[in-house]
Amino acid sequence: MDVRRAAERYPGGDPAAGIESRHAFSFGPHYDPDNLRFGAVIACNEERLAPGAGFDEHPHSHTEIVTWVVEGELTHRDSEGNETVVRHGDVQRLSSAGGVRHVERNDGTEPLTFVQMWLAPVRPGGEPSYEIVRGIADSTPYAVPEAGAMLHVRRLGAGERTAVPDGAYAYVHVVRGEVRLGGEPLGPGDSARVADAEGLEAEGLTPAEVLVWEMAAG
């Protein structure tokens, strides 16, 4: 198990424009050949947008983009004609496939924080697609078959435990609160990369929310 702390993330964004980013993997000017991916995960970005701030239209290709809003409201528009507002509890996925362009903005009056995770597809190309699941239940895994991955959202009370799925790769990201994973305490923004997970549990030290990617291969 490889634990990465929130403070170790690469800083990015444009603070003067109301955009603050923290990258868990090699990203943009922060090139690190030893930190390119884990399993199918190639990016896990924490984004904070001030009211009125956002990312202007930009392209993506050959990437499965999954977004989880922590607080606030995210306005999404893309070149396929999709326009939605994503809130906490919703899972948004944009399959960029052969190529798509999108805009992400905070059109609300409150600060916006979201976690965006990029996964490498098993096979590149294809047609772009978009999906949003509103208010996903704690016990409902979200499958991203294009990347051979499954997302589990876990909400824990203090003292509650949840199993990390057994498998070749598990990527655990703490959204809020504090948990203990395999004897290691993790706080907001911390993550763990687990290879060959077997019998591993996460325990809430406080009320907590955790995102867990279950992946069969890298």
Side-chain angles (χ1 to χ4, degrees):
M1 186 171 73
D2 179 10
V3 172
R4 305 290 179 105
R5 301 297 179 185
E8 298 177 277
R9 290 172 170 260
Y10 311 114
D14 184 355
I19 302 171
E20 294 188 14
S21 305
R22 293 292 184 271
H23 306 293
F25 291 83
S26 179
F27 200 93
H30 301 287
Y31 177 68
D32 182 352
D34 297 323
N35 191 23
L36 297 177
R37 67 185 289 173
F38 180 78
V41 180
I42 56 177
C44 179
N45 305 332
E46 290 186 331
E47 307 286 1
R48 292 175 171 81
L49 302 183
F55 299 100
D56 294 332
E57 188 175 76
H58 56 281
H60 287 279
S61 62
H62 313 305
T63 311
E64 299 297 315
I65 302 169
V66 178
T67 304
W68 180 262
V69 170
V70 181
E71 61 179 358
E73 297 184 344
L74 170 65
T75 297
H76 165 95
R77 294 190 296 274
D78 63 47
S79 54
E80 295 294 296
N82 300 296
E83 182 168 350
T84 53
V85 175
V86 190
R87 300 175 179 87
H88 180 247
D90 302 338
V91 173
Q92 175 185 257
R93 180 184 61 85
L94 176 63
S95 179
S96 61
V100 71
R101 302 179 67 86
H102 74 154
V103 174
E104 297 163 298
R105 295 192 53 80
N106 180 5
D107 290 332
T109 58
E110 301 296 326
L112 164 66
T113 302
F114 64 96
V115 179
Q116 190 168 89
M117 298 151 288
W118 299 4
L119 287 79
V122 175
R123 288 177 295 276
E127 295 297 319
S129 62
Y130 178 84
E131 182 177 43
I132 185 167
V133 177
R134 300 288 189 186
I136 192 165
D138 187 63
S139 58
T140 304
Y142 179 76
V144 184
E146 295 84 354
M150 189 91 70
L151 177 64
H152 303 266
V153 179
R154 293 287 184 259
R155 305 172 180 98
L156 300 173
E160 289 185 344
R161 296 173 177 267
T162 186
V164 172
D166 293 345
Y169 297 96
Y171 185 81
V172 181
H173 174 85
V174 180
V175 176
R176 67 178 87 236
E178 297 180 356
V179 303
R180 182 182 289 113
L181 181 68
E184 190 77 31
L186 303 177
D190 291 351
S191 62
R193 307 174 190 193
V194 185
D196 300 320
E198 186 174 345
L200 187 63
E201 285 189 326
E203 177 188 2
L205 300 177
T206 68
E209 185 174 81
V210 181
L211 304 178
V212 181
W213 282 105
E214 173 189 359
M215 298 166 284

